[in-house]
């Protein structure tokens, strides 16, 4: 509605061509932004990109340190969530069912721990922001403040 | 090795002053699982005769704790309760408890040690065979992980050195371990010889190594090679003279004259069916190797393993020693399909040949081989919950669990086992 009012006022003052261009611009920007799955880290993590292989090993808890020597703190959503499946298959390129079983084996053979489960995006952002060495992922329209987005590098 | 196990509670007690602080820092985690199973095997007993009419005497319960001490060290322990028909009657064990420390732990490699009782990571499934949520279908492949060897290989009291390196072409993980393990030898003796032996067959030592490789080029592919070496010796056994004396008395009690040449067929038959009672010495060296392959892609996971057990057996019966080299072979191929996150479908074919070449009682001849096919479905119907059913058709009895009265039951060559299981974990 606001866009229409602005258009009518602008038409009155500037003519139809310019207002038409402005209306088109407003229309484009008034469309909902497309959410995008992104890997985020705490600002203390000093890398710019990560490969799916490294990501999969971090989430399998096989790699527990960043190249700087800092401990990795891994956060994830529930294995039942859609965003988890999207992350594992599309970004980390591992099969959800295999990662789940791997985590079960880690816990119940005493070899290690599994990523900490987070229930919603805001909590994920908060945990990654406040935990040195943290890594997580979100399905978001924009990069939240005080966390860094990692580029996903070459598959291998 | 028992000293090592005793040292761990001591270690815990030394930490006791810090326990509250550790809990407050979330450095301790607790997890657990429980399952209730139902088995119906209308043709042959499975882990006891009750399964012929359907038995719910199959349940598992595990509670574990994982205590982190800094970034490089943790202590983990698990108590495990198991009711498995007449094979395990409501037993509770310390499943594992160990101290784990990493000397090297960086982004590309790690090297660590485990000290205490740790799970033996033989093959793809040995370490997690008791965990319902990690099993393919409702049970691990019986051709490789058959029940008779479960006690011997499940966990080891000792020391394990493990590590891994992320190389340009893939990830290599390895483990070498050494220790021992007291086992309930009676079922193993019955499995091999159809009767308990006077004395206790115990592993003198157990050691092994494992190597796994995950290539970077093919995501989801995993190769593995596992080995396990153990030597079983007979402790507290009878002397040769004692077994001979017992044998003579037992024959006379059955009206068989051991000095009459005409009684020889009866003597041979009696000995063949009761050979275990007159064994005075056992020295069994076992070398077990398994090659594993798993490939998970899209909604599928294909797994296969091949195992050989080389047994160098030296067994003395009535003072006469016979040595044999035997080779047991097992293999399976299974496909799992995951059409959605909540659903798993399984099909598995498998085969086991025990290769036993001793003077076996006649009925054990039927227990030398087994082949089978299993199909199953498992549904994760709620977070942390699953329910599954599985049906198997077997030919042969080689991997059937041995229970107290196994040898008294006649068996059919073709038989079915239907299973159902409800499980929960947190």
């Amino acid at each position: 509605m606001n866009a229409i009012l602005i258009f009518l006022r602008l038409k009155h003052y500037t003519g139809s061509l310019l207002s038409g261009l402005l209306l088109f611009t407003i229309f484009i920007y008034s469309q909902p932004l497309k959410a995008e799955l992104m890997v985020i880290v705490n600002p203390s993590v000093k890398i710019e990109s990560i490969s799916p292989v490294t990501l999969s090993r971090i989430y399998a808890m096989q790699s527990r340190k960043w190249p700087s020597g800092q401990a990795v703190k891994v956060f994830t959503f529930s294995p039942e969530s859609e965003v988890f499946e999207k992350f594992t298959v599309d970004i980390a390129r591992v099969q959800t069912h295999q990662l789940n079983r791997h985590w079960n084996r880690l816990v119940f053979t005493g070899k290690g721990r599994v990523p900490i489960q987070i229930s919603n995006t805001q909590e994920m952002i908060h945990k990654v922001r406040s935990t040195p060495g943290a890594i997580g992922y979100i399905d978001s329209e924009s990069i939240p403040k005080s966390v860094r987005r990692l580029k996903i590098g070459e598959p291998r | 090795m028992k000293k090592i196990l005793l040292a761990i509670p001591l270690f815990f007690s030394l930490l006791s002053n810090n326990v509250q602080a550790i809990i407050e820092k979330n450095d301790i985690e607790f997890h657990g699982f429980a399952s209730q199973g139902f088995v119906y095997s209308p043709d042959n007993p499975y882990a006891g005769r009750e399964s012929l009419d359907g038995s719910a005497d199959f349940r598992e319960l595990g509670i574990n704790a994982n205590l982190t001490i800094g970034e490089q060290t943790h202590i983990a322990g698990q108590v495990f309760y198991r009711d498995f028909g007449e094979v395990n009657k409501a037993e509770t064990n310390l499943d594992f408890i160990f101290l784990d420390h990493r000397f090297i732990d960086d982004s590309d490699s790690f090297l660590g040690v485990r000290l205490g009782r740790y799970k033996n990571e033989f093959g793809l499934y040995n370490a997690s065979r008791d965990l319902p949520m990690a099993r393919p279908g409702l049970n691990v492949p019986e051709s490789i992980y058959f029940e008779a060897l479960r006690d011997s290989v499940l966990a080891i009291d000792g020391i394990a050195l493990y590590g891994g390196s992320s190389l340009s072409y893939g990830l290599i993980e390895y483990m070498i371990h050494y220790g021992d393990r007291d086992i309930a030898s009676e079922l193993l003796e019955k499995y091999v010889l159809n009767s308990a032996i006077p004395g206790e067959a115990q592993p003198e030592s157990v050691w092994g190594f494992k190597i796994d490789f995950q290539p970077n080029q093919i995501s989801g592919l995993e190769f593995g090679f596992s080995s396990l070496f153990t030597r079983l010796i007979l402790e507290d056994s009878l002397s040769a003279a004692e077994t001979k004396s017992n044998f003579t008395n037992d024959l006379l009690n059955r009206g068989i004259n051991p000095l009459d040449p005409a009684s020889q067929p009866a003597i041979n038959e009696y000995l063949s069916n009761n050979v275990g009672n007159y064994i005075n010495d056992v020295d069994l060296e076992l070398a077990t190797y398994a090659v594993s392959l798993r490939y998970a892609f899209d909604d599928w996971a294909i797994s296969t393993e091949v195992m050989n057990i080389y047994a160098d057996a030296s067994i003395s019966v009535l003072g006469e020693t016979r040595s044999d080299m035997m080779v047991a072979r097992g293999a399976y191929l299974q496909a799992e399909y995951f059409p959605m996150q909540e659903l798993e479908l399984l099909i598995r074919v498998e085969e086991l040949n025990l290769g036993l070449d001793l003077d076996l009682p006649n009925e054990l001849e039927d227990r030398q081989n087994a082949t089978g096919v299993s199909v199953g479905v498992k549904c994760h119907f709620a977070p942390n919950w699953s329910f599954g059913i599985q049906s198997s058709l077997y030919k042969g009895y080689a991997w059937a669990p041995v229970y107290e009265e196994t040898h008294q039951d006649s068996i059919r060559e073709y038989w079915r086992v239907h299973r159902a299981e409800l499980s929960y974990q947190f």
Side-chain angles (χ1 to χ4, degrees):
Chain A
M1 185 60 72
N2 285 341
I4 294 168
L5 288 173
I6 291 167
F7 169 71
L8 291 173
R9 283 184 183 176
L10 285 171
K11 189 178 179 186
H12 177 74
Y13 289 111
T14 62
S16 60
L17 182 62
L18 184 56
S19 58
L21 282 170
L22 279 167
L23 178 64
F24 179 73
T25 307
I26 291 164
F27 174 77
I28 292 296
Y29 279 94
S30 65
Q31 294 302 300
L33 289 171
K34 193 179 176 187
E36 189 183 0
L37 193 62
M38 59 182 80
V39 175
I40 55 172
V41 290
N42 183 273
S44 63
V45 177
K46 304 297 181 194
I47 60 170
E48 299 300 322
S49 66
I50 191 166
S51 71
V53 167
T54 305
L55 201 53
S56 68
R57 288 187 183 143
I58 284 175
Y59 271 83
M61 312 303 270
Q62 290 166 320
S63 186
R64 307 195 311 186
K65 294 282 176 69
W66 293 112
S68 66
Q70 185 180 28
V72 183
K73 301 290 181 188
V74 189
F75 293 95
T76 185
F77 289 107
S78 156
E80 287 79 26
S81 66
E82 276 185 33
V83 66
F84 173 78
E85 185 172 13
K86 199 171 161 187
F87 167 74
T88 53
V89 175
D90 296 345
I91 307 292
R93 314 236 174 125
V94 292
Q95 302 309 314
T96 309
H97 42 86
Q98 296 305 306
L99 190 57
N100 266 329
R101 278 204 191 150
H102 178 78
W103 285 347
N104 285 334
R105 283 198 297 271
L106 273 184
V107 168
F108 293 105
T109 58
K111 285 169 61 181
R113 292 184 172 187
V114 296
I116 298 161
Q117 270 190 38
I118 298 298
S119 56
N120 61 59
T121 303
Q122 286 312 310
E123 189 187 357
M124 176 69 85
I125 294 166
H126 172 71
K127 286 287 186 186
V128 172
R129 181 185 292 153
S130 60
T131 311
I135 184 169
Y137 55 90
I138 50 171
D139 205 7
S140 175
E141 295 167 356
S142 59
I143 304 170
K145 288 178 182 173
S146 304
V147 297
R148 289 179 51 242
R149 178 183 182 176
L150 288 186
K151 292 176 192 167
I152 304 302
E154 291 299 309
R156 313 296 170 206
Chain B
M1 205 51 64
K2 290 183 177 65
K3 288 177 184 171
I4 293 169
L5 288 176
L6 288 171
I8 288 178
L10 179 65
F11 192 72
F12 268 116
S13 70
L14 290 172
L15 285 170
S16 62
N17 292 337
N18 299 319
V19 164
Q20 189 61 35
I22 288 165
I23 291 171
E24 284 169 4
K25 286 168 63 184
N26 282 333
D27 281 336
I28 189 162
E29 280 186 4
F30 295 95
H31 293 276
F33 61 91
S35 74
Q36 173 62 57
F38 178 81
V39 175
Y40 174 50
S41 59
D43 308 307
N44 286 329
Y46 184 88
R49 290 176 194 149
E50 286 186 2
S51 66
L52 290 166
D53 299 317
S55 170
D57 199 12
F58 295 86
R59 56 189 69 89
E60 296 156 311
L61 178 69
I63 301 288
N64 82 33
N66 186 314
L67 174 68
T68 298
I69 307 158
E71 289 179 359
Q72 312 284 92
T73 308
H74 76 267
I75 294 174
Q78 180 163 287
V79 176
F80 181 57
Y81 165 93
R82 187 177 193 237
D83 204 351
F84 193 76
E86 292 177 35
V87 177
N88 272 126
K89 295 174 185 169
E91 289 180 2
T92 303
N93 292 312
L94 186 59
D95 200 22
F96 60 79
I97 182 163
F98 59 83
L99 174 73
D100 184 310
H101 178 73
R102 287 195 177 185
F103 304 109
I104 299 171
D105 195 7
D106 57 42
S107 61
D108 291 327
S109 59
F110 56 91
L111 179 68
V113 65
R114 292 188 188 117
L115 195 63
R117 174 173 295 173
Y118 51 85
K119 284 295 189 84
N120 175 14
E121 298 195 32
F122 184 87
L124 292 175
Y125 299 114
N126 187 60
S128 56
R129 63 191 296 164
D130 293 329
L131 178 60
M133 296 285 192
R135 287 193 283 247
L138 299 198
N139 67 340
V140 290
E142 293 182 282
S143 50
I144 304 277
Y145 308 96
F146 47 96
E147 183 67 25
L149 292 183
R150 180 180 176 279
D151 272 6
S152 316
V153 301
L154 185 63
I156 290 162
D157 299 334
I159 183 167
L161 193 68
Y162 68 93
S165 289
S166 186
L167 307 170
S168 58
Y169 47 84
L171 176 71
I172 291 179
E173 290 187 301
Y174 49 87
M175 180 180 191
I176 183 164
H177 58 86
Y178 176 85
D180 64 18
R181 181 72 199 265
D182 287 339
I183 61 169
S185 65
E186 198 169 310
L187 291 179
L188 183 60
E189 293 159 13
K190 284 184 176 176
Y191 184 69
V192 178
L193 296 163
N194 214 31
S195 64
I197 303 172
E200 280 277 311
Q202 288 294 335
E204 193 181 58
S205 62
V206 182
W207 75 277
F209 64 90
K210 183 181 184 190
I211 185 161
D212 286 320
F213 175 60
Q214 298 171 31
N216 287 346
Q217 292 301 317
I218 306 174
S219 176
L221 185 62
E222 182 182 348
F223 299 99
F225 177 79
S226 310
S227 63
L228 193 67
F229 306 92
T230 186
R231 184 180 179 193
L232 286 164
I233 55 171
L234 195 60
E235 297 172 353
D236 305 321
S237 61
L238 298 177
S239 67
E242 285 172 318
T243 55
K244 284 178 184 172
S245 170
N246 290 350
F247 184 58
T248 303
N249 290 336
D250 292 342
L251 288 175
L252 290 172
N253 289 340
R254 284 163 179 75
I256 302 169
N257 181 356
L259 301 177
D260 182 359
S263 301
Q264 202 56 46
I267 292 171
N268 290 344
E269 185 181 353
Y270 174 75
L271 180 60
S272 175
N273 288 327
N274 299 278
V275 65
N277 295 337
Y278 307 107
I279 288 175
N280 59 281
D281 193 21
V282 171
D283 189 345
L284 186 62
E285 287 186 44
L286 295 169
T288 308
Y289 305 94
V291 176
S292 313
L293 175 75
R294 175 162 51 204
Y295 184 35
F297 59 98
D298 297 334
D299 298 327
W300 291 87
I302 309 291
S303 312
T304 184
E305 289 190 278
V306 178
M307 177 189 70
N308 278 11
I309 304 175
Y310 297 90
D312 189 356
S314 176
I315 298 178
S316 294
V317 181
L318 299 170
E320 290 184 23
T321 302
R322 178 177 171 181
S323 296
D324 264 310
M325 171 61 91
M326 296 166 286
V327 184
R329 293 188 172 89
Y332 72 88
L333 173 65
Q334 74 182 13
E336 294 171 272
Y337 178 53
F338 304 83
M340 56 185 80
Q341 275 205 55
E342 297 81 11
L343 200 61
E344 301 175 23
L345 307 176
L346 167 87
I347 182 164
R348 178 192 300 149
V349 291
E350 53 188 326
E351 183 173 23
L352 174 64
N353 181 305
L354 289 176
L356 294 175
D357 190 24
L358 298 165
D359 287 330
L360 293 167
N362 294 335
E363 60 265 38
L364 273 189
E365 293 297 329
D366 301 325
R367 303 174 193 222
Q368 289 294 292
N369 301 291
T371 55
V373 58
S374 301
V375 292
V377 57
K378 193 189 280 186
C379 178
H380 302 275
F381 62 90
N384 302 327
W385 286 90
S386 75
F387 177 76
I389 54 173
Q390 185 173 309
S391 287
S392 304
L393 175 64
Y394 298 143
K395 179 189 178 188
Y397 208 62
W399 54 57
V402 177
Y403 53 95
E404 189 71 23
E405 306 298 334
T406 300
H407 61 289
Q408 294 179 12
D409 292 319
S410 60
I411 53 173
R412 295 182 186 174
E413 187 179 13
Y414 288 90
W415 56 299
R416 297 158 291 170
V417 180
H418 308 291
R419 300 172 171 90
E421 185 180 79
L422 176 69
S423 63
Y424 173 77
Q425 74 175 48
F426 64 88

